[in-house]
């Protein structure tokens, strides 16, 4: 059996090696390292793939989130609602900009932000909602858009984990993740579904004026060379990273398809296990369907119900199976983000999930033999 890896970027590289080496050679020879043609071409290709009017490449996903909030003109004192159960980048940029983060609980079946908790947290100071499409499927965008409209709030999608996913609305309409709210941020960190070989990120929007503002902010607030109209940042995607992304983008659907295939095999093996809850796919699809990209499985995350999660992590590691706990501590309990306004009773789901979740190896190169080995190891340990 091949060595099992959490993410297998070497295996994936084999399939694009020639193309990437060739593009790298061209970039090196042209010396157009910053804002070169590779970046512009990638931008256009991603706009086309997503069906969105504007893609603004930048240096990483965290910058992308920050620049979205700067572009929308959010000001210190404005409250921004986001999920308690996610990676810290989302809440970090809210705090960095002097905005007030308002963390709320998630839904236990999807791990995504709970619209009921959002509604409860809205005050006259609330200016934006940041749904994180966690682990590869969209948050409940039907209700989130309704709330945003009713209370005149911006919706900033954190799409770092769900690029290529399709959201199906209650009325049957379909839209790609990251093209639904006012603006979206994504990350091309190497292990993301569309990852480069270093840091990278992008912002998506259909709003022409906002896109113009954002393009200035990523480039020191310059709209005309050496004229600085607003306070900006330096946040660029470089040409070598764009070349990698151009090789991978045409394969993104195939890559996500392989992830879904692995997820289907996992979920089939774990069906009927009393102490194991497999990830639930919603968005108008029952189970993990073959025909649409409802869930792109950035992570395949189980819940282990009989308090054996930590021992299972140890058991897997001892048997050569890497795994991850995303995320072990709720953001509202992190030192940097504690706030006396928070009431533990409002975070009952997150507080439970942090002790139950375990993410299994998930990438484009998993084979049946590896999945069988992993699932048997888990089932024998959890339900001996
Ligand atoms: C990865 C990630 C980010 C940050 O992206 P970077 O490119 O690492 O800065 C933000 N939000 C979520 C949900 C992520 O998974």
């Amino acid at each position: 059996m091949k060595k099992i890896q959490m993410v297998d970027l070497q295996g994936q590289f084999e399939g694009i090696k020639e193309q990437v080496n060739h593009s790298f050679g061209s970039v090196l020879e042209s010396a157009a390292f910053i804002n070169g043609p590779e970046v512009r071409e990638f931008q256009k290709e991603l706009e086309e793939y997503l069906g969105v009017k504007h893609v603004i490449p930048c240096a990483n996903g965290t910058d992308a989130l920050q620049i979205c909030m700067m572009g929308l003109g959010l000001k210190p004192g404005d409250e921004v609602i986001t999920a308690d159960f996610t990676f810290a980048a989302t809440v970090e940029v809210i705090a960095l900009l002097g905005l007030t983060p308002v963390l709320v609980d998630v839904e236990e079946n999807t791990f995504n932000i709970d619209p009921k908790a959002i509604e409860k947290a809205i005050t006259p100071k609330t200016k934006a909602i940041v749904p994180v499409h966690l682990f590869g499927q969209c948050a409940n965008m039907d209700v989130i858009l309704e709330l945003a409209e009713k209370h005149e709030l911006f919706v900033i999608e954190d799409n770092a984990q769900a690029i290529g996913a399709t959201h199906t609305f209650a009325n049957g309409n379909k839209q790609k993740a990251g093209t639904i709210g006012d603006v979206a941020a994504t990350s091309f960190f190497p292990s993301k579904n569309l990852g480069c070989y270093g840091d990278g990120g992008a912002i998506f929007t259909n709003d022409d004026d906002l896109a113009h503002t954002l393009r200035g902010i990523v480039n020191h607030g310059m709209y005309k060379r050496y004229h600085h109209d607003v306070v900006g940042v330096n946040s660029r995607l470089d040409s070598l990273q764009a070349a990698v992304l151009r090789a991978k983008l045409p394969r993104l659907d195939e890559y996500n398809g392989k992830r879904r295939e692995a997820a289907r095999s996992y979920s089939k093996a774990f069906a009927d296990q009393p102490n194991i809850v497999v990830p639930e796919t919603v968005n108008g699809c029952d189970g993990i369907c073959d025909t649409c990209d409802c869930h792109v499985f950035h992570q395949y995350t189980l819940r282990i119900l009989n308090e054996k999660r930590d021992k299972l992590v140890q058991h897997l590691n001892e048997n050569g199976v890497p795994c991850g706990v995303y995320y072990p501590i709720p953001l509202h309990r992190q030192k940097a983000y504690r706030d006396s306004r928070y009431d533990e009773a409002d975070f009952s789901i997150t507080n439970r999930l942090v002790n139950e979740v375990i993410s299994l190896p998930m990438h484009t190169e998993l084979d049946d033999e590896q999945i069988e080995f992993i699932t048997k190891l888990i089932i024998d340990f959890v339900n001996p």
Side-chain angles (χ1 to χ4, degrees), residues 88 196 199 232 287 343 345 368 379:
C196 57
D199 274 310
D343 179 352
D368 291 344
I379 290 168

Side-chain angles (χ1 to χ4, degrees), residues 293-309:
D293 301 310
C294 45
H295 196 319
V296 294
F297 290 96
H298 175 61
Q299 299 294 347
Y300 180 88
T301 302
L302 296 175
R303 291 169 54 208
I304 305 296
L305 300 183
N306 58 355
E307 295 179 5
K308 277 194 175 175
R309 195 274 314 270

Side-chain angles (χ1 to χ4, degrees), residues 7-8 110 133 189 198 247:
V7 177
D8 182 1
T110 62
H133 302 323
F189 185 79

